[in-house]
Amino acid sequence: MENLCFKIRANIEFMVKLGWSSGEIIDALKKVYGDQSPSRGQVFEWIKRFKKGREELKDDQRSGRLSTSTNEDMSAKVQEMLDKDERISITEIARNLNISYGSVYIILTDRLRLSKLSARWVPKALRSEHMIQRAEASVLFLNMLQADPENFVFSHCNWGWDMDLPV
């Protein structure tokens, strides 16, 4: 999303330097970016900034309170609680760390990349050790299949079947 904002602002700056009118710029942005184009008010604001000589495409720094509950330290505390009990709820974590439910959720899903599965917090994506285990198992099964393709399924899978299937 941030990259798209830079592209749009760069295009606005370019069109302003070419001397296009505000209406032409808005129409061109709608034609190119469709639903993702900025609102008329935003376009007018950036046109005004570029006409005053602004060169920077980034947003201005805003004053405001920094987030203290979704920082690295708090993420480490949440991870520590999960290591002790992977079935712990968001509400319990929030209560123990004295932060909001939403902050805990952001830490779990965005920072730690976890999702809730069967009452346990698990990684959203495979970790490197899981990928290595899967690759090793796949090679093992492939070798077993190549060694005995006729009986691979029946001799290596514990289905409780001990019969030949009709061809």
Side-chain angles (χ1 to χ4, degrees):
M1 181 67 183
E2 189 68 27
N3 193 22
L4 180 63
C5 290
F6 285 127
K7 288 180 182 178
I8 290 172
R9 291 173 190 166
N11 286 326
I12 293 172
E13 180 184 25
F14 178 74
M15 290 183 271
V16 166
K17 287 184 178 183
L18 288 176
W20 288 24
S21 70
S22 301
E24 291 173 319
I25 293 173
I26 290 169
D27 290 341
L29 292 174
K30 290 239 185 267
K31 192 176 210 177
V32 173
Y33 296 105
D35 292 341
Q36 294 182 327
S37 63
S39 68
R40 291 177 60 87
Q42 286 178 318
V43 174
F44 284 130
E45 180 62 34
W46 280 101
I47 290 171
K48 183 172 74 173
R49 291 177 185 180
F50 291 130
K51 282 184 177 179
K52 288 183 178 179
R54 182 184 176 117
E55 295 290 326
E56 183 65 42
L57 297 177
K58 289 183 180 179
D59 280 327
D60 295 332
Q61 289 291 330
R62 297 183 191 137
S63 63
R65 186 173 175 204
L66 296 174
S67 176
T68 58
S69 56
T70 58
N71 57 26
E72 292 298 323
D73 184 44
M74 200 57 73
S75 296
K77 289 179 183 177
V78 170
Q79 182 65 57
E80 185 179 315
M81 292 180 77
L82 284 174
D83 290 342
K84 291 179 184 173
D85 179 12
E86 59 191 16
R87 293 178 181 263
I88 193 167
S89 69
I90 294 176
T91 306
E92 290 178 73
I93 295 171
R95 190 178 319 117
N96 290 340
L97 296 177
N98 198 26
I99 60 176
S100 72
Y101 182 98
S103 294
V104 174
Y105 185 81
I106 288 170
I107 291 170
L108 289 168
T109 58
D110 293 346
R111 287 187 168 265
L112 300 178
R113 309 271 308 139
L114 299 173
S115 61
K116 193 80 163 187
L117 177 69
S118 240
R120 303 168 92 179
W121 288 101
V122 297
K124 286 184 181 178
L126 292 178
R127 293 190 176 137
S128 58
E129 62 265 16
H130 296 138
M131 288 189 268
I132 291 169
Q133 287 174 346
R134 283 192 174 188
E136 290 171 350
S138 296
V139 169
L140 175 69
F141 291 140
L142 185 59
N143 290 338
M144 291 180 352
L145 175 64
Q146 289 171 345
D148 188 10
E150 295 292 322
N151 295 315
F152 173 73
V153 173
F154 295 107
S155 63
H156 299 296
C157 295
N158 187 13
W159 290 348
W161 295 356
D162 197 16
M163 60 183 163
D164 291 331
L165 294 176
V167 180

